[in-house]
Amino acid sequence: MSTSGMQEYLDGPHKAARDVVRARLAAHGEMADLAVRLPRDEYRDKVLELLLESAADGLPARGYPKEYGGEGDLGGFIAGFETLAFGDLSLMVKAGVQFGLFAGAILHLGTERHHERYLADAVSGRLLGCFAMTETGHGSNVQALGTTATYDEATGEFVVHTPTKEARKDYIGNAARHGRMAAVFAQLVVGGESHGVHCLLVPIRAADGTALPGVTLSDCGPKLGLNGVDNGRIVFDQVRVPRDALLDRYAQVDADGNYTSAIENPDRRFFTMLGTLVQGRVSVGGAAINASKVALTIAIRYGAQRRQFGAPGSAEEAVLLDYRMHQRRLLPLLARTYALHFAQAELVDEFARVFNDDRDEHDRRALEAQAAGTKALGTWHATETIQMCREACGGAGYLAENRLATLKADTDVFTTFEGDNTVLLQLVAKGLLTDYRESFGKLDPLGTARFIAAQAVEIAVEKAALRAVIERLRDVVPNRNDAADPDAGLRDDAYHSGLLRFREEHMLSGVARRLKAGIDAGDEPFEVFNRCQDHVIAAGRAHVDRVVLEAFQAAVQQAPEEIRPRLQDLYDLHALATIEAERAWYLEHGRLSPGRSKAITALVNELCAVVRPVAVELVDAFGVPGSAVEVPMVVPSQHE
């Protein structure tokens, strides 16, 4: 297998954008250990310096319109941003705040006058900004934010105010040290009437770094990780901004205090505004997957050279990666990282299509759900992978100089920012249930009756365990293909996707039945949903598992002949490890017999042995710059 061929395929159409960032990371070899070497304020200022250098390299400009000095390449912008995760993650997060959230709010929520006045400065880093959404008392519940922006007709200004302690803006990146302006989300009050959450641009700091009148800024203090990002708190005390500070793409307030919006429904208007900011979730999920690549590169290279124990009577100790349990720890995670990489690539392509073509609301909602699900699985995967890599490297993995400690600390928050993962999977499931209801509603009476009958048969078959009987017969009486290769059926793509689709559809229909039963019984809708919440979230995860699997399937089918066999082995490992992880559910629902379940486990072991000889080449294909992974515990000569 050619490492360069695999890397080129992984890099995809945005290789140039990735290579620009790789070159910058390679030129700053010290970037990998800034968090360890520098005091906090120096660290933050160094991250700002690197941020401005990345702006000079053109990284943020890729994603913005050409008329403001950009390139209009959304896919390349996100690919470059993800690649920043190979280096210092504080830099990646600060870039996300500045170029993704702050500048993104101006672009997507503002109109031409905002673009002309602010966008070029935000994209270049000349105007450093904050994205002031989260509040102490409301977290992810953006519709319930307490900050107010009240229009004063007499002066033609909005008065931005923090009415309670719970309404304090909290965890705001760039607020503690560097930000000069904030995109503030607040309840818009015009003529005594509240129109829901809108966004305004509010200056918070003078050029000399001091807080402006009416603005109180404070530091969130030391954090578990990402201490190169100056997270802070903001309190507003009757701060006045001009009427045109309102980012008014979706709603306008004229000089006389008349509020208008082309989107009459306030809920729909709110979700339309938030939907334009989906880029943050897309980017964070990709960055987490790339952080997993860094950890796996370090741990697999280490495992391929570190020796421990050996056969009785032998003077030579065995290489760690030759132990089956070590393979089991790392190689399914490697396969899942490849799977998530291709799912993320599909998501980025869809994001670029939806936003470049200004697709309709249905496409945007589908994109939001896809971004939510991929972000949830990608960030949870990073947490699991980095922890396992740390353990697989023993005491060496615990030393800060070997990067895994910093990776672990810096990625931990990814599971809860840009949306708590549990809430995001709930969003995914709600979207699926909406589609489910719409599909059900389109059936004529005969179709409805057939659907209900099919569901009844499905339940009866499960209760009678007939599927288990059929599955056992299939195990006992192999077909012609099985006679030649007992594992042939287990490596069938259609078998994998069929099992995952069954699980997804069964869970979804089960949730729908439970919700309907509760509503029909006259229970409060909120209480009904709350009782089913664990089932809802499991259905959301089952859906995303299937989407990731099928993205990997497509990537294997489209791969060049040279690398396809290796990708196929990785795909099979990922698919079977995914099924193995849920084998209790499949056994309960009659989709696996005990014998087939054991055969899957045996095949996962065999596939680990198949992947092991090329494991180092597979992590090298990630293209992580040397300075990011050439840590003291890994001897370069062992993997070069």
Side-chain angles (χ1 to χ4, degrees):
M1 180 193 75
S2 165
T3 298
S4 60
M6 185 69 82
Q7 181 179 329
E8 186 171 346
Y9 188 57
L10 290 173
D11 280 350
H14 305 301
K15 175 177 171 55
R18 298 181 197 277
D19 283 345
V20 167
V21 178
R22 284 188 179 112
R24 171 60 61 185
L25 295 176
H28 285 276
E30 82 282 3
M31 196 182 299
D33 65 348
L34 292 177
V36 178
R37 291 189 298 105
L38 298 179
R40 189 181 69 179
D41 286 347
E42 289 183 34
Y43 181 22
R44 290 175 171 180
D45 289 344
K46 182 64 177 179
V47 167
L48 175 60
E49 177 188 324
L50 294 169
L51 178 84
L52 297 177
E53 288 183 12
S54 72
D57 285 341
L59 168 63
R62 283 185 180 273
Y64 285 86
K66 294 180 179 179
E67 56 265 38
Y68 303 109
E71 299 178 25
D73 178 12
L74 283 172
F77 170 74
I78 293 178
F81 177 85
E82 292 171 356
T83 308
L84 280 177
F86 287 159
D88 184 88
L89 286 165
S90 284
L91 171 61
M92 183 275 298
V93 170
K94 196 173 182 75
V97 170
Q98 176 66 30
F99 305 130
L101 295 177
F102 175 64
I106 296 170
L107 175 65
H108 296 301
L109 300 181
T111 48
E112 187 173 352
R113 68 175 181 274
H114 302 111
H115 300 163
E116 292 285 351
R117 183 173 179 183
Y118 299 113
L119 201 52
D121 285 345
V123 171
S124 67
R126 291 188 296 270
L127 174 62
L128 297 173
C130 310
F131 187 77
M133 177 183 283
T134 303
E135 293 180 358
T136 304
H138 297 99
S140 298
N141 189 5
V142 179
Q143 276 186 297
L145 294 179
T147 302
T148 57
T150 304
Y151 186 63
D152 183 348
E153 294 178 34
T155 62
E157 297 171 314
F158 285 102
V159 182
V160 180
H161 185 60
T162 305
T164 65
K165 291 180 179 179
E166 290 74 19
R168 177 188 66 186
K169 296 298 180 182
D170 215 344
Y171 319 117
I172 308 302
N174 266 354
R177 190 170 178 86
H178 297 136
R180 289 173 46 210
M181 178 175 281
V184 179
F185 288 78
Q187 302 287 348
L188 195 72
V189 181
V190 181
E193 180 182 356
S194 177
H195 295 277
V197 173
H198 292 63
C199 186
L200 304 91
L201 295 178
V202 182
I204 59 170
R205 190 178 266 114
D208 64 0
T210 58
L212 291 173
V215 179
T216 300
L217 302 171
S218 57
D219 199 308
C220 286
K223 297 164 291 183
L224 176 63
L226 297 176
N227 283 300
V229 182
D230 52 324
N231 292 95
R233 301 181 173 109
I234 311 175
V235 175
F236 300 101
D237 183 10
Q238 309 291 341
V239 175
R240 290 180 172 269
V241 294
R243 181 170 57 89
D244 63 8
L246 175 68
L247 296 177
D248 58 353
R249 177 178 178 182
Y250 295 104
Q252 301 78 40
V253 176
D254 67 18
D256 296 328
N258 297 307
Y259 176 92
T260 57
S261 174
I263 306 174
E264 293 184 8
N265 184 292
D267 287 338
R268 183 165 166 257
R269 183 168 60 241
F270 169 76
F271 285 110
T272 299
M273 286 191 290
L274 284 197
T276 62
L277 304 173
V278 70
Q279 179 175 311
R281 285 178 185 160
V282 175
S283 301
V284 167
I289 295 164
N290 273 8
S292 300
K293 295 174 186 176
V294 176
L296 283 165
T297 301
I298 292 170
I300 287 176
R301 286 180 175 180
Y302 180 73
Q305 68 177 43
R306 176 75 159 83
R307 293 180 177 274
Q308 185 76 40
F309 303 112
S314 172
E316 186 174 11
E317 293 184 303
V319 174
L320 285 181
L321 205 53
D322 288 341
Y323 285 105
R324 175 55 51 81
M325 197 60 220
H326 209 78
Q327 295 169 11
R328 268 286 193 161
R329 281 172 144 184
L330 297 177
L331 300 186
L333 294 174
L334 173 62
R336 197 195 311 169
T337 302
Y338 267 76
L340 286 164
H341 171 95
F342 291 119
Q344 174 71 9
E346 281 193 357
L347 172 61
V348 171
D349 287 346
E350 182 63 15
F351 172 79
R353 281 194 296 271
V354 167
F355 277 83
N356 284 333
D357 299 344
D358 198 21
R359 299 289 184 90
D360 61 24
E361 183 180 355
H362 180 272
D363 286 342
R364 285 179 179 261
R365 286 292 178 90
L367 173 66
E368 289 169 34
Q370 187 181 356
T374 306
K375 184 265 179 184
L377 261 64
T379 54
W380 270 329
H381 172 69
T383 297
E384 179 187 358
T385 300
I386 294 166
Q387 173 62 24
M388 188 58 71
C389 289
R390 207 295 298 159
E391 292 181 26
C393 294
Y398 199 64
L399 297 177
E401 66 181 7
N402 289 320
R403 278 212 78 189
L404 294 172
T406 302
L407 279 172
K408 181 177 168 64
D410 284 350
T411 57
D412 192 78
V413 75
F414 287 9
T415 60
T416 52
F417 78 35
E418 289 298 330
D420 178 281
N421 284 354
T422 300
V423 175
L424 293 183
L425 285 184
Q426 187 169 288
L427 183 154
V428 171
K430 282 182 176 178
L432 294 170
L433 286 165
T434 300
D435 291 342
Y436 183 95
R437 183 184 63 198
E438 290 174 354
S439 298
F440 187 87
K442 292 173 185 174
L443 295 176
D444 59 22
L446 178 59
T448 301
R450 286 174 176 166
F451 179 86
I452 293 170
Q455 291 298 311
V457 169
E458 187 82 14
I459 295 166
V461 167
E462 283 178 12
K463 287 183 177 178
L466 291 178
R467 281 202 189 90
V469 173
I470 293 167
E471 198 68 32
R472 289 191 193 102
L473 287 174
R474 183 175 170 185
D475 286 343
V476 173
V477 186
N479 60 33
R480 285 193 296 271
N481 291 333
D482 289 339
D485 180 359
D487 294 331
L490 294 182
R491 296 190 70 169
D492 183 348
D493 291 4
Y495 179 69
H496 305 150
S497 54
L499 280 179
L500 266 67
R501 278 187 176 274
F502 170 77
R503 184 165 188 263
E504 174 190 350
E505 291 166 7
H506 184 281
M507 283 191 163
L508 194 61
S509 63
V511 170
R513 288 195 300 269
R514 287 182 65 187
L515 292 173
K516 184 177 185 303
I519 297 298
D520 289 349
D523 296 339
E524 285 292 324
F526 178 82
E527 182 57 34
V528 172
F529 190 85
N530 192 43
R531 289 200 301 262
C532 300
Q533 193 173 32
D534 59 333
H535 197 162
V536 169
I537 290 164
R541 175 144 197 169
H543 168 75
V544 185
D545 279 338
R546 192 264 302 169
V547 168
V548 170
L549 178 97
E550 293 183 352
F552 204 170
Q553 284 182 350
V556 174
Q557 292 163 6
Q558 297 161 16
E561 289 287 345
E562 176 198 8
I563 63 172
R564 193 178 303 161
R566 290 302 177 209
L567 277 180
Q568 185 67 54
D569 290 338
L570 276 177
Y571 162 78
D572 288 337
L573 176 55
H574 168 70
L576 292 168
T578 300
I579 294 166
E580 182 189 39
E582 301 296 342
R583 59 184 170 175
W585 189 92
Y586 288 114
L587 284 162
E588 284 178 355
H589 292 80
R591 280 300 181 182
L592 283 181
S593 67
R596 186 165 290 272
S597 175
K598 291 177 182 178
I600 287 173
T601 293
L603 188 51
V604 169
N605 285 339
E606 291 176 25
L607 286 166
C608 284
V610 169
V611 170
R612 187 270 175 259
V614 292
V616 172
E617 295 173 51
L618 289 168
V619 294
D620 286 350
F622 291 146
V624 183
S627 59
V629 287
E630 288 175 355
V631 295
M633 70 176 175
V634 179
V635 181
S637 62
Q638 295 293 323
H639 58 78
E640 290 183 346

